C-alpha cells in the first residue's frame, strides 16, 4: 500500500493549513499549535465508489478464512486504504478489532418513538470499547516509527486499549495516566493486566491530559490520545462499518456521546471522505450528546460556536466522558456544522434510566453509551429526529466495565431498578418471593 517514498498521507493543521510529513512525530502544529489531521490522497487509487464498495464487501466475505486473510477479519483494516494507507499488512498490530454488531432495536425503538433504531455496539471490541479501532492504528504506526514508549491520559478506556495493544509489541512500554479514583475498577484492572505502567494522578482527566502533553513534549514518549491524528483515523471505521452493515445505506442520524470529542470528529471525517470518493452519496446528520455534569461542547454549541467554553467537569455516572476541556473541539465543531448536526445534553437521571432501559431490553451498554441513547430519545421527543428516520446510536463501551454503576442503580430508587433480594434457602421462600413480585 505504501508507495515507496511517495507517501499518500500528510499531516495538515486544521487551523493554519500548514502541511508536514506523515512520519514526523507531532501531535500539534509546530507553527500555530493547532490540531493536526491526516489528509490522504485517496483519489489516486483511481477507484470508483462502486469499486470501493465491491472491494470492501469482497473482503468481508473473505473474512471466513482468518488463517490466510488475517486482515480481512478486522473491521478496521478491511477498509485499510481509507483508514491509513501508510502501513503494509505485515506492519499491522491487530487483535482483530471491529466487526461489532449493529443491533436492530424494534421494541426499545417503539417505546422511544422510533421506527428504525439501531445500536452499533462498540463494547464488543477486544478491550470492550471503541478505542481499539484507533489504537490498532496508533500502536501499529508507533511500532513502524520505532517508538518504544507510548502514553496517554485516560478516563479508563483509552488506557485499556493502549495497554492491550502495546502488550502485543515486544519491547514497547505502555504508560497510562488516569485520574485517581475516577475510573472504574474494571477499567483499571485492564491496564494492570496488560502490564502498562499505571499512574493514578490526584487530579481529573483534564489535569492528566495537561501532564501527558508536557511529558510527550519533553521526553521521547509517543502520545496516543485522540489528539494524535493517526490514532483516530481508525475510529472512522465505526461509520464505515455501520454503513456497510446497512448494505451501504447511510442512516439519517449518527448519535454519538462526546467527551474529548475525538470520536465524533473521526466519524465526521470518515463520512466526508466516503462522500468525496463516491462510496456513499447521502449526508447523514450528526448528534453529539454530553452529560449535563460535563457539557462544555454543548455550552459552546448554545453560543452559536462564538465561544469555546471549558469548565470543571463534575461527577457523573458517565465517568468516561467526564471532561471539561475537549481537546478535539475545533474538529468536532467543524463536523457538526458540516453535517447539519445538533448537540444535546442529558441529566444524570435521564442517562441512568436510559442505561437501565437499554440493558432491560437485553443490550449490555455502558452509561456513556446511554448518554447517546438518552440524547436520541430527547431529540426524538422534541421531533428533531423524526419517527421514520433511520437512527444509529453509537454505544461506545460495554456495560460490564461499569458494573458498580449498575449495582448502585438497581439498589436505588431509579424507575427501572431491579434490586436483588436475599432470602432463606428454601423453596417456600422462593415461592413467596415470586408471589411478591408478580
Ligand atoms: N464513550 C466512552 C466509553 C469513552 O471511553 C469515551 C472517551 C467517550 C465515549 C468519548 O469519546 O473522547 O472521543 O469524545 N474516553 C476517553 C478515554 C477520554 O480516555 O478513555 P471522545
Amino acid at each position: 500500500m505504501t508507495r515507496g517514498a511517495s507517501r499518500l498521507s500528510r499531516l495538515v493543521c486544521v487551523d493554519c493549513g500548514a502541511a508536514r510529513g506523515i512520519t514526523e512525530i507531532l501531535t500539534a502544529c509546530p507553527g500555530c499549535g493547532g490540531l493536526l489531521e491526516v489528509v490522504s490522497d485517496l483519489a489516486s487509487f483511481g477507484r470508483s465508489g462502486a469499486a470501493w464498495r465491491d472491494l470492501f464487501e469482497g473482503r468481508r466475505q473473505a473474512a471466513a478464512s482468518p488463517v490466510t486473510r488475517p486482515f480481512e477479519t478486522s473491521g478496521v483494516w478491511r477498509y485499510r486504504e481509507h483508514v491509513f494507507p501508510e502501513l503494509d499488512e505485515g506492519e499491522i498490530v491487530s487483535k482483530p478489532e471491529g466487526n461489532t454488531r449493529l443491533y436492530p432495536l424494534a421494541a426499545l425503538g417503539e417505546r422511544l418513538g422510533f421506527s428504525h433504531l439501531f445500536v452499533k455496539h462498540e463494547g464488543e471490541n477486544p478491550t470492550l470499547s471503541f478505542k481499539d479501532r484507533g489504537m490498532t492504528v496508533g500502536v501499529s504506526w508507533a511500532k513502524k516509527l520505532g517508538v518504544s514508549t507510548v502514553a496517554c491520559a485516560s478516563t479508563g478506556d483509552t488506557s485499556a486499549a493502549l495497554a492491550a495493544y502495546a502488550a502485543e509489541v515486544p519491547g514497547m512500554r505502555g504508560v497510562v495516566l488516569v485520574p485517581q479514583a475516577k475510573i472504574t475498577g474494571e477499567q483499571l484492572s485492564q491496564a494492570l493486566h496488560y502490564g502498562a505502567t499505571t499512574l493514578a494522578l490526584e487530579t481529573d482527566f483534564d489535569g492528566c491530559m495537561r501532564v501527558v502533553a508536557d511529558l510527550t513534549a519533553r521526553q521521547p514518549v509517543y502520545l496516543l490520545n485522540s489528539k494524535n491524528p493517526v490514532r483516530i483515523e481508525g475510529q472512522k471505521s465505526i461509520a464505515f462499518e455501520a454503513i456497510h452493515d446497512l448494505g451501504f445505506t447511510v442512516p439519517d442520524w449518527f448519535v454519538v456521546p462526546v467527551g474529548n470529542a475525538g470520536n465524533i470528529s473521526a466519524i465526521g471525517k470518515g463520512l466526508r471522505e466516503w462522500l468525496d470518493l463516491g462510496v456513499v452519496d447521502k449526508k447523514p446528520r450528526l448528534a453529539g450528546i454530553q452529560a449535563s455534569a460535563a457539557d462544555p461542547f454543548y455550552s459552546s454549541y448554545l453560543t452559536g460556536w462564538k465561544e469555546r467554553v471549558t469548565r470543571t467537569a463534575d461527577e457523573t455516572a458517565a465517568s468516561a466522558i467526564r471532561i471539561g476541556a475537549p481537546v478535539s473541539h475545533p474538529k468536532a465543531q467543524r463536523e457538526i456544522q458540516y453535517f447539519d448536526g445538533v448537540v444535546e445534553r442529558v441529566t444524570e437521571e435521564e442517562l441512568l434510566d436510559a442505561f437501565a432501559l437499554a440493558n432491560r431490553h437485553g443490550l449490555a451498554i455502558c452509561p456513556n453509551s446511554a448518554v447517546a441513547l438518552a440524547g436520541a430519545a430527547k431529540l426524538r421527543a422534541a421531533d428533531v429526529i423524526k419517527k421514520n428516520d433511520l437512527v444509529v446510536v453509537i454505544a461506545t463501551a460495554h456495560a460490564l466495565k461499569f458494573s458498580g454503576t449498575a449495582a448502585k442503580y438497581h439498589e436505588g430508587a431509579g424507575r427501572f431498578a431491579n434490586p436483588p433480594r436475599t432470602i432463606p434457602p428454601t423453596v417456600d421462600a422462593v415461592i413467596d418471593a415470586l408471589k411478591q413480585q408478580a
Side-chain angles (χ1 to χ4, degrees), residues 47-56 248 277-280:
R47 281 202 188 93
S48 67
W52 282 119
R53 290 195 298 272
D54 286 350
L55 178 71
F56 299 146
F248 291 105
L277 291 166
V279 182
V280 294

Side-chain angles (χ1 to χ4, degrees), residues 128-131 152-161 177-179 183 187 205 209 225-226 231-232 235 256-266 289-290 318-323 326-328 332 366-369 394-398 401-402:
L128 312 185
S129 90
F130 72 100
K131 302 288 183 182
C152 70
S154 181
T155 55
D157 291 323
T158 303
S159 45
L177 276 55
V178 298
I183 73 170
Q187 292 173 317
F205 170 83
M209 193 65 228
N225 275 99
S226 55
R231 200 203 93 192
I232 57 166
Q235 285 164 217
V256 187
V258 174
N260 218 15
N263 202 30
I264 198 162
S265 307
I289 320 291
Q290 297 209 290
S319 57
I321 53 174
R322 181 177 178 179
I323 295 174
V327 165
S328 291
C366 75
N368 315 285
S369 312
I394 306 300
T396 43
H398 201 282
K401 285 193 180 218
F402 296 83

Side-chain angles (χ1 to χ4, degrees), residues 3 8 40-47 52 277:
R3 300 182 172 175
L8 293 180
S40 303
D41 180 12
L42 301 178
S44 68
F45 283 99
R47 281 202 188 93
W52 282 119
L277 291 166

Side-chain angles (χ1 to χ4, degrees), residues 90 104 115 118 149 218 257 265 295:
S115 304
F118 292 82
T149 304
R218 284 213 231 156
S265 307
D295 62 353

